[in-house]
Amino acid sequence: MSALSDQSTAKHALVTGGGSGIGAAIASTLAIAGLRVTIIGRRLDALQAVAARHPGHVQAVEADVTDAAAIATAFAEAKVRFGPIQVLVNNAGQAHSAPFIKTDAALWQHMLSVNLTGTFNCTQAALPDMLAAQWGRIINVASTAGLKGYAYVAAYCAAKHGVVGLTRALALEYAKKGITVNAVCPGYTETDILRESIANVVAKTGRSEAQARSEFSAGNPQGRMVQPEEVADAVLWLSGHAAASVTGQSIAVSGGEVMN
Ligand code: NAP
């Protein structure tokens, strides 16, 4: 039995956006590896459905990552049952598309607020536990859109580039404190966010769903969508002791679409 599967020493991981897609896969992978996992999101029913698959190992707490006060309350609630937070996975995000000229201030703010400020809020809430323990793992789910540009998602791209910048800055700031800060950068991954993007292309261009899908997967040299479990495995590795020397990195999980 690994140390992580012992409830007395099991680490507490908090995963935002854990009620669906990549976040749900991360929560399951970490729980199966023996961590205690809190998942956070706005839809309690979705979170509870994921938690029910891992009784005693995953708990659901409702909160909006854009609301710093709500996040502080949610993190305090999460710690009552599972103790101090050792692993933070900033995964909650949204991707809305629009031509730049039609990107109004509200869409711009919304993308920055959910993807970048949400990461800021949760990282500030988790850091005191990590500093007290002189050990921590922060893993930001950015995107290949944090490493390269894509047309029609300028606000999302800017926010995810911001997440990569934040990752690099914090990695240096906490390098001597036992805390690593990394990003994983998925390419197009088979989740609701992608299904919505495909539906958007179908609605706006009249293309068939199959055409739209093949256009999304064409950018991946492997010619397919990334699976959520593939991103989750990268997060599991970064959250462990073996990755102690890996910090400030933005690891693309994209079938070779981005090479850095
Ligand atoms: P998803 O299934 O739509 O998951 C997004 C999650 O974020 C949802 O569970 C949602 O839960 C949560 N969320 C959204 N806004 C929130 C808020 N304000 N507060 C708290 N939680 C919030 O999509 P996904 O593909 O798994 O996305 C996960 C992450 O991967 C995102 O950061 C996304 O940008 C990134 N990513 C995805 C792809 C892709 O192709 N799928 C590629 C690269 C990067 P609630 O609605 O319940 O709040």
Side-chain angles (χ1 to χ4, degrees):
M1 185 191 284
S2 83
L4 284 181
S5 61
D6 173 356
Q7 280 289 313
S8 62
T9 56
K11 295 206 179 308
H12 180 188
L14 191 145
V15 181
T16 66
S20 62
I22 293 169
I26 293 169
S28 290
T29 297
L30 295 181
I32 289 164
L35 284 83
R36 293 171 289 186
V37 183
T38 299
I39 47 177
I40 283 192
R42 295 164 305 167
R43 291 167 299 143
L44 192 57
D45 54 341
L47 297 167
Q48 283 171 339
V50 174
R53 288 182 220 143
H54 306 278
H57 295 274
V58 177
Q59 65 175 343
V61 178
E62 186 180 347
D64 185 325
V65 295
T66 66
D67 182 341
I71 284 300
T73 304
F75 278 42
E77 185 186 334
K79 291 185 330 183
V80 169
R81 185 164 164 216
F82 285 167
I85 294 159
Q86 287 125 329
V87 177
L88 171 67
V89 184
N90 286 307
N91 164 80
Q94 295 176 33
H96 295 179
S97 59
F100 180 68
I101 204 75
K102 291 187 178 163
T103 298
D104 60 15
L107 173 57
W108 175 257
Q109 269 313 329
H110 184 57
M111 286 299 95
L112 289 180
S113 162
V114 176
N115 294 294
L116 183 53
T117 308
T119 300
F120 166 82
N121 288 337
C122 294
T123 304
Q124 285 215 324
L127 261 172
D129 281 352
M130 298 181 186
L131 288 168
Q134 293 282 291
W135 198 93
R137 297 280 184 269
I138 298 170
I139 300 141
N140 298 324
V141 179
S143 169
T144 47
L147 301 171
K148 62 179 262 194
Y150 292 88
Y152 307 115
V153 281
Y156 178 74
C157 262
K160 291 297 193 183
H161 274 70
V163 171
V164 168
L166 180 65
T167 301
R168 291 174 175 158
L170 295 183
L172 293 178
E173 197 163 328
Y174 295 108
K176 292 200 170 69
K177 306 284 185 194
I179 299 168
T180 65
V181 189
N182 291 287
V184 292
C185 297
Y188 288 121
T189 306
E190 195 86 51
T191 69
D192 287 349
I193 245 181
L194 182 65
R195 284 184 274 274
E196 281 162 26
S197 300
I198 290 170
N200 197 27
V201 168
V202 170
K204 288 196 172 143
T205 66
R207 289 187 180 87
S208 71
E209 193 190 319
Q211 276 175 315
R213 270 189 158 271
S214 71
E215 280 165 27
F216 277 102
S217 57
N220 179 328
Q222 293 181 336
R224 66 178 181 89
M225 307 292 188
V226 175
Q227 295 305 305
E229 294 70 23
E230 297 178 290
V231 182
D233 278 343
V235 170
L236 175 64
W237 171 64
L238 287 168
S239 70
H241 290 281
S245 288
V246 180
T247 194
Q249 302 307 302
S250 299
I251 297 170
V253 183
S254 65
E257 182 185 350
V258 177
M259 299 187 184
N260 56 352

